[in-house]
Amino acid sequence: MDMALILAKANYWGYVILLLIGLYALISKNNLVKKIIGMVIFQTAVILFYITIAVKKGGNIPITPHGKGYVVEAANFMNPLPHVLMLTAIVVGVATLGVALALAIKVYKQYGTLEEDEINAMIREQ
Amino acid sequence: MKILGWLTVLMCGALLIFNVSEFPDMGDANSPANSKQNLSEYFLKKAYHDTKVPNVVTAVLADYRGYDTMYETAVIFSAGLACFFLLRIFRKKGPKSRFYRHTPTGVTLRIDEGGKLPEESDVFKRIDSIWIPHDNIVRITCRLVVPFIQIFALYVIAHGHYSPGGGFQGGVLLGASIILIAVSNNLRAGIQRMSEKGAALMGSAGVLIYAGTAALCLLLGSQFLNYNALAKLLHIKPVVARYNGILIVEIGVALAVMAVMVWIYYNLSSAGKHDEGL
Amino acid sequence: MSTHYPALIIVVPLLTAVIVAAVGWINKKYCFPLSVASLAASLLSSIGLLFEVMKTNGEVVYRFAGWEAPMGIVYNIDYLNSLVLIVVTAVALINLIFSKGSIENDFPDKEGVFYALYILFTTGLVGMVATGDAFNLYVLLEIASLTGYALLGIGNERSPLSTLNYLFIGTIGATFYLLGVGYIYIATGTLNMAEIALIIPKLPNVGIIKFAFVICMVGLFVKMALFPMHGWLPNAYSNAPSSSIGLIAPLTTKVTVYIMVRAGITIFTPEFTFEKMHLDKWIVWLSVIGIVMGSCFALAQKNYKKMLTYIVVAEVGYMVGGFWLGNKLGITGSILHIVNDAAMTLCVFMAAGIFSYKIGDHISDFKGLFKKMPFTMTAFAVGGLSIIGVPPTCGFFSKWYLVSGGIEAVKATGSIGALAFIVALLFSSLVNAVLFFRIFEVAHFEPFSEGHGHEGHSAVEINEAPLGMLIPFFIVAFSLIFLGIFSGDIVSNIINQFIPVLPAGI
């Protein structure tokens, strides 16, 4: 694997690393809020992935000029579709975060802690 | 759990690296997703012609894939409902005695149950678990900033057809302005400006504007969400009807997002009790 | 209006959910009738849609916003869609009527919001089933998930933690699916399912599609709680309130299985799914382990609801295994089991609702129930027999197809996995028989009343569930027999019309 391959696909490596960090935190962390943070990183990694596939070298933002007789050259503009999709995914991410925090607050009220091992110990004692 | 985490991460990582050579290079205009004969080309070339909206993202978001965006609004609305449903605790009775501070003199009054409560004003401030001595710098700065945020938000909503922006972004800004009031003063100051019921109803109204416009098209004999149908109703050209339809649904989105953001904040910051907060 | 059925199925509940959420703040009285009306309208339009599909012989196309396939979002409704749509809307409607009393009991201040979440959840599932766009499916999946978390997290004191764990796992699953869709998009440049299926066979190299396939399937397996990703399900479901579990337990896993079938056949095409991937044997083995483990864990439970949740895990194994056998009989069995298992699971969870409303969740509490609640127990017995797989009930027929599919796979390829699948199915039926006959036995015992020994005190007072619960419960129990009797017709008129010509040599 040479350097050129790594550089040409920099977006891919970036998203893979973020995804794995998020996934690790989501599975391994003991604190529920840290898990939630991991979840957000995990989702954001996928958003990064989508957005970077829309890039065209030298492209502009997808707002097309519209003078008379102007012909749009598609190669000069970014691909709009991934942006649209990710707007939806961002909203979904925010919504999930809200519900996750609401549940975490409920857990905290119930047990007085957010450390998962402490909570599990309490459940076992009951 | 640590071992399980590493195992999953390693498996996932191996899977992801396995395919890297077929992954298109960054900025490649000829990858299948970006290439000539596909959607990207169609949208860039035809969106303005079809909808008179130069911002292709807005056109795709609210027209070509407007059906997705309707559910996106529904997602955020569900999140508002979910936070309310999970957290909200209705207290039937307040505490028996209340404390008030007379700001000019600094005297603290205790009013027992049944006593006459002073009207909430700048002179009398209620003291409870959320009461904090005022920080004038923070409070006044925020008060100064809020109108600018709101005007900018309206600009973002209205100008989404021509520049980056639109209903979600503007709605979030509007919501943030009210949350800023609640953060810089206290939760009650926010609730005075937008009550919980008001937020909930506005959230519903926002989604209803979107879905209702779409359903209106269906009732007028077109497909669901086909804004062309509005042309007959508004006596305008079909293309202009699409332009206006996009504006209407963007306003609906903004309303829903603003209200739900504020609603979620109320519930999360006070753990559903609405009488204390940050 | 008949051309608008595909939109109406989803739009009516969506609009009603929003209105109900608002009306709940003003007058709670109208929430229930509005919700029932919207789900009934949705059920009627999905029945109308099935007839429409039969009339046009195969496919009803609906273009949202009037745009053609790859640009806009298009519904292509075929036999499979319309069949599952009817199941989803019918289960949601019946369970809503059934749980009216317990909803009013459990959430007096939040009734309107509960109904709104309930309908939104149904909307999400219906949209997932109906959609023809891979990304649209993700959005609706998230609607169903978010509302599902809210409905589950409000149960007993342990429910917030178990639901939070479900949320983490569910988000991993959904995000993996989204990632898979992204990979499909970079390889094909489109999001429309039918279009993707046309492009995939023409692609020069399929490495990216293979990855997309794996990551999509892993996401779906996590969501449907296939072994070994099933850990979240038993806790999340058994701690939930009975009114929401009657909706979520029968539908979530089945709809996810439906998506797997849809992805395997419509998006990735059968040639790719069964021939190029070489994963089918492994997944059959996974489902075999899932069935055996689910059944064994179910045996160990003393709590009725928890026992049911492990049965749900085992049933997921049935459907997944049946599909990945890769022959016509197996896929037929899998699809038929989506329908039958939704009805069966609804039936036994309704019984759980009545039990926990009247007595409790522990099996040891069920003493003397046949005398105390004769009608409830009759309907419950039908549900139990159906899960075991006793002939006149529908459970027998789908198992029959699954086993025949297994036999055919063994004959065709001599695969050991298929043989193990048959053995696992029989083992699980045996375990289910033990589980339910244990309950029947306990329920036949006299209660240890204090008046023991006094003559004349032995007559137990009949203490039945209210009629509002009993009537929907009986409808469901009856439908189990009805589905069983007509399963031949369902298979030949609907399911077989859907299953495409499968590649030979599997």
Side-chain angles (χ1 to χ4, degrees):
Chain A
M1 204 173 289
D2 52 9
M3 206 58 202
L5 182 68
I6 293 174
L7 285 179
K9 299 183 200 308
N11 61 333
Y12 189 83
W13 301 113
Y15 119 81
V16 167
I17 290 167
L18 270 183
L19 187 93
L20 295 181
I21 291 173
L23 195 60
Y24 177 77
L26 189 46
I27 294 170
S28 301
K29 285 290 167 195
N30 192 27
N31 186 300
L32 290 176
V33 172
K34 282 184 185 165
K35 279 192 170 194
I36 293 174
I37 293 170
M39 183 182 85
V40 174
I41 297 174
F42 182 63
Q43 287 177 322
T44 313
V46 177
I47 293 172
L48 179 73
F49 160 72
Y50 266 85
I51 291 297
T52 51
I53 59 178
V55 175
K56 295 175 191 168
K57 242 186 203 116
N60 208 337
I61 54 169
I63 295 175
T64 50
H66 46 278
K68 249 199 182 137
Y70 184 88
V71 183
V72 175
E73 187 53 58
N76 293 339
F77 297 96
M78 302 286 174
N79 184 354
L81 190 56
H83 292 99
V84 173
L85 303 181
M86 281 313 100
L87 221 75
T88 310
I90 290 168
V91 171
V92 168
V94 170
T96 316
L97 176 64
V99 177
L101 287 174
L103 285 167
I105 289 172
K106 262 183 99 91
V107 171
Y108 186 76
K109 269 193 200 164
Q110 189 78 41
Y111 300 103
T113 171
L114 284 171
E115 302 292 329
E116 216 175 9
D117 51 355
E118 290 174 22
I119 297 173
N120 284 335
M122 271 184 231
I123 290 177
R124 246 174 271 125
E125 273 170 30
Q126 277 171 14
Chain B
M1 284 314 256
K2 279 247 157 75
I3 300 164
L4 187 68
W6 277 116
L7 214 69
T8 322
V9 166
L10 284 177
M11 272 166 59
C12 259
L15 209 63
L16 286 164
I17 290 167
F18 179 66
N19 263 307
V20 67
S21 58
E22 280 189 37
F23 193 84
D25 289 352
M26 185 159 170
D28 183 4
N30 295 319
S31 66
N34 295 339
S35 73
K36 296 226 158 180
Q37 56 279 48
N38 268 317
L39 287 174
S40 154
E41 172 97 354
Y42 177 89
F43 287 140
L44 287 167
K45 290 209 158 158
K46 290 283 171 59
Y48 182 71
H49 176 257
D50 285 342
T51 61
K52 286 275 174 283
V53 178
N55 184 349
V56 186
V57 173
T58 305
V60 179
L61 184 82
D63 195 343
Y64 295 98
R65 295 189 72 87
Y67 190 60
D68 261 355
T69 312
M70 184 178 78
Y71 284 115
E72 194 182 345
T73 324
V75 165
I76 200 90
F77 182 65
S78 324
L81 290 179
C83 287
F84 170 86
F85 188 62
L86 287 170
L87 287 174
R88 189 75 170 98
I89 302 160
F90 290 103
R91 282 240 189 97
K92 300 280 186 248
K93 286 177 197 162
K96 278 183 182 156
S97 54
R98 290 181 169 189
F99 291 90
Y100 283 87
R101 164 170 288 214
H102 187 237
T103 323
T105 55
V107 174
T108 305
L109 306 167
R110 194 184 80 192
I111 294 164
D112 284 336
E113 203 181 0
K116 188 174 176 291
L117 301 173
E119 279 175 23
E120 193 80 17
S121 66
D122 278 347
V123 184
F124 285 102
K125 283 282 173 204
R126 189 172 153 198
I127 303 174
D128 50 22
S129 50
I130 59 162
W131 184 81
I132 17 162
H134 285 304
D135 185 336
N136 276 329
I137 296 174
V138 171
R139 205 162 49 94
I140 291 171
T141 316
C142 290
R143 192 180 278 178
L144 282 176
V145 169
V146 163
F148 292 102
I149 296 179
Q150 288 178 339
I151 287 175
F152 180 63
L154 293 178
Y155 165 80
V156 168
I157 297 168
H159 220 252
H161 285 44
Y162 297 97
S163 62
F168 283 100
Q169 296 85 330
V172 168
L173 283 169
L174 276 179
S177 71
I178 291 169
I179 293 174
L180 185 64
I181 294 173
V183 172
S184 62
N185 290 287
N186 51 39
L187 192 62
R188 209 179 303 117
I191 291 178
Q192 271 171 7
R193 275 151 184 95
M194 187 191 272
S195 69
E196 186 195 20
K197 192 175 167 183
L201 291 180
M202 271 162 90
S204 294
V207 184
L208 205 60
I209 288 175
Y210 201 135
T213 314
L216 187 66
C217 302
L218 191 150
L219 291 177
L220 288 170
S222 264
Q223 287 100 334
F224 187 73
L225 256 175
N226 192 344
Y227 307 124
N228 277 352
L230 298 175
K232 278 178 257 165
L233 199 70
L234 303 170
H235 303 293
I236 42 179
K237 276 192 268 175
V239 178
V240 185
R242 286 198 173 271
Y243 181 93
N244 287 328
I246 292 174
L247 186 64
I248 294 169
V249 302
E250 291 272 19
I251 290 170
V253 169
L255 200 63
V257 170
M258 170 192 73
V260 171
M261 282 298 153
V262 173
W263 196 18
I264 290 179
Y265 172 79
Y266 288 168
N267 280 320
L268 285 185
S269 65
S270 66
K273 290 204 276 292
H274 283 210
D275 61 353
E276 53 185 279
L278 293 171
Chain C
M1 259 350 218
S2 66
T3 51
H4 289 301
Y5 281 145
L8 287 179
I9 295 174
I10 296 155
V11 171
V12 173
L14 178 70
L15 278 170
T16 318
V18 177
I19 293 168
V20 164
V23 166
W25 290 92
I26 298 157
N27 192 339
K28 277 190 257 177
K29 248 190 345 202
Y30 300 116
C31 293
F32 179 73
L34 270 174
S35 319
V36 169
S38 75
L39 290 179
S42 188
L43 175 61
L44 287 179
S45 7
S46 51
I47 292 171
L49 187 60
L50 179 62
F51 285 113
E52 199 81 355
V53 170
M54 284 175 167
K55 226 194 289 169
T56 56
N57 205 18
E59 209 176 54
V60 171
V61 179
Y62 193 88
R63 295 179 190 85
F64 283 94
W67 297 109
E68 291 290 329
M71 275 73 80
I73 291 165
V74 172
Y75 279 8
N76 300 308
I77 309 280
D78 57 18
Y79 285 97
L80 181 61
N81 289 111
S82 39
L83 179 67
V84 182
L85 281 174
I86 293 175
V87 173
V88 172
T89 45
V91 168
L93 177 64
I94 291 176
N95 184 58
L96 183 66
I97 297 170
F98 172 81
S99 355
K100 181 173 189 269
S102 56
I103 294 168
E104 281 166 2
N105 249 347
D106 293 351
F107 321 109
D109 296 328
K110 301 173 183 169
E111 252 178 81
V113 174
F114 180 89
Y115 288 123
L117 285 168
Y118 188 101
I119 307 173
L120 274 172
F121 180 81
T122 317
T123 314
L125 294 184
V126 169
M128 272 150 84
V129 174
T131 192
D133 188 279
F135 186 80
N136 188 238
L137 200 154
Y138 166 74
V139 182
L140 287 150
L141 181 75
E142 284 292 356
I143 290 192
S145 311
L146 280 177
T147 47
Y149 305 143
L151 293 174
L152 291 173
I154 199 82
N156 64 16
E157 71 276 4
R158 284 187 199 177
S159 67
L161 185 65
S162 50
T163 311
L164 190 57
N165 280 326
Y166 173 29
L167 187 146
F168 291 141
I169 304 284
T171 309
I172 295 182
T175 311
F176 271 169
Y177 175 79
L178 178 65
L179 194 59
V181 172
Y183 274 83
I184 294 175
Y185 178 66
I186 54 174
T188 64
T190 180
L191 294 165
N192 183 278
M193 291 179 185
E195 194 106 334
I196 295 169
L198 289 179
I199 294 177
I200 286 181
K202 292 183 213 148
L203 286 176
N205 37 6
V206 288
I208 291 185
I209 295 289
K210 275 190 177 171
F211 178 76
F213 183 86
V214 171
I215 207 100
C216 272
M217 284 299 162
V218 171
L220 292 176
F221 289 157
V222 171
K223 271 277 185 196
M224 75 174 75
L226 181 70
F227 181 86
M229 287 82 96
H230 69 286
W232 55 270
L233 188 140
N235 280 330
Y237 281 12
S238 56
N239 294 333
S242 53
S243 42
S244 35
I245 203 62
L247 175 70
I248 293 173
L251 291 182
T252 313
T253 50
K254 269 81 220 171
V255 169
T256 325
V257 171
Y258 158 83
I259 299 173
M260 181 190 74
V261 174
R262 176 63 68 193
I265 289 181
T266 309
I267 302 183
F268 289 102
T269 69
E271 290 80 22
F272 186 86
T273 308
F274 296 119
E275 280 190 340
K276 292 208 177 134
M277 284 311 295
H278 306 296
L279 282 176
D280 41 352
K281 296 201 177 59
W282 298 103
I283 297 173
V284 170
W285 273 110
L286 271 189
S287 68
V288 167
I289 304 171
I291 294 171
V292 174
M293 298 296 268
S295 303
C296 291
F297 279 119
L299 263 182
Q301 302 307 319
K302 293 199 174 71
N303 181 310
Y304 174 64
K305 263 192 190 169
K306 200 137 194 182
M307 178 191 102
L308 291 184
T309 59
Y310 281 105
I311 293 180
V312 170
V313 172
E315 302 274 344
V316 169
Y318 290 15
M319 289 176 275
V320 174
F323 177 73
W324 289 95
L325 288 176
N327 55 37
K328 189 163 183 172
L329 281 170
I331 297 176
T332 308
S334 179
I335 295 172
L336 186 64
H337 205 64
I338 292 179
V339 180
N340 292 348
D341 194 41
M344 276 152 37
T345 319
L346 177 64
C347 187
V348 288
F349 271 101
M350 275 174 149
I354 293 180
F355 293 152
S356 53
Y357 184 72
K358 282 280 176 192
I359 36 180
D361 286 337
H362 277 269
I363 294 172
S364 52
D365 298 337
F366 292 179
K367 283 169 191 154
L369 269 191
F370 267 109
K371 289 212 170 132
K372 224 197 264 175
M373 306 166 92
F375 296 111
T376 309
M377 289 309 284
T378 315
F380 168 66
V382 176
L385 292 177
S386 184
I387 287 206
I388 299 166
V390 179
T393 56
C394 61
F396 170 75
F397 293 96
S398 40
K399 264 186 201 168
W400 177 258
Y401 279 105
L402 290 171
V403 171
S404 332
I407 292 172
E408 202 179 287
V410 173
K411 268 192 212 156
T413 59
S415 86
I416 310 166
L419 194 66
F421 181 66
I422 300 171
V423 174
L425 271 179
L426 297 177
F427 171 74
S428 160
S429 306
L430 205 68
V431 171
N432 287 346
V434 173
L435 289 172
F436 281 97
F437 278 103
R438 188 176 66 178
I439 295 175
F440 296 154
E441 197 191 343
V442 171
H444 259 300
F445 278 141
E446 293 290 317
F448 299 112
S449 57
E450 289 189 10
H452 183 70
H454 291 266
E455 299 257 329
H457 261 278
S458 56
V460 184
E461 257 181 63
I462 289 186
N463 183 11
E464 260 300 347
L467 266 187
M469 290 175 128
L470 267 188
I471 292 171
F473 192 32
F474 261 85
I475 292 175
V476 174
F478 179 73
S479 78
L480 293 181
I481 298 170
F482 181 82
L483 281 172
I485 293 169
F486 289 97
S487 64
D489 292 312
I490 296 175
V491 169
S492 59
N493 290 334
I494 302 174
I495 298 177
N496 278 351
Q497 306 290 331
F498 164 74
I499 296 177
V501 184
L502 293 168
I506 303 170

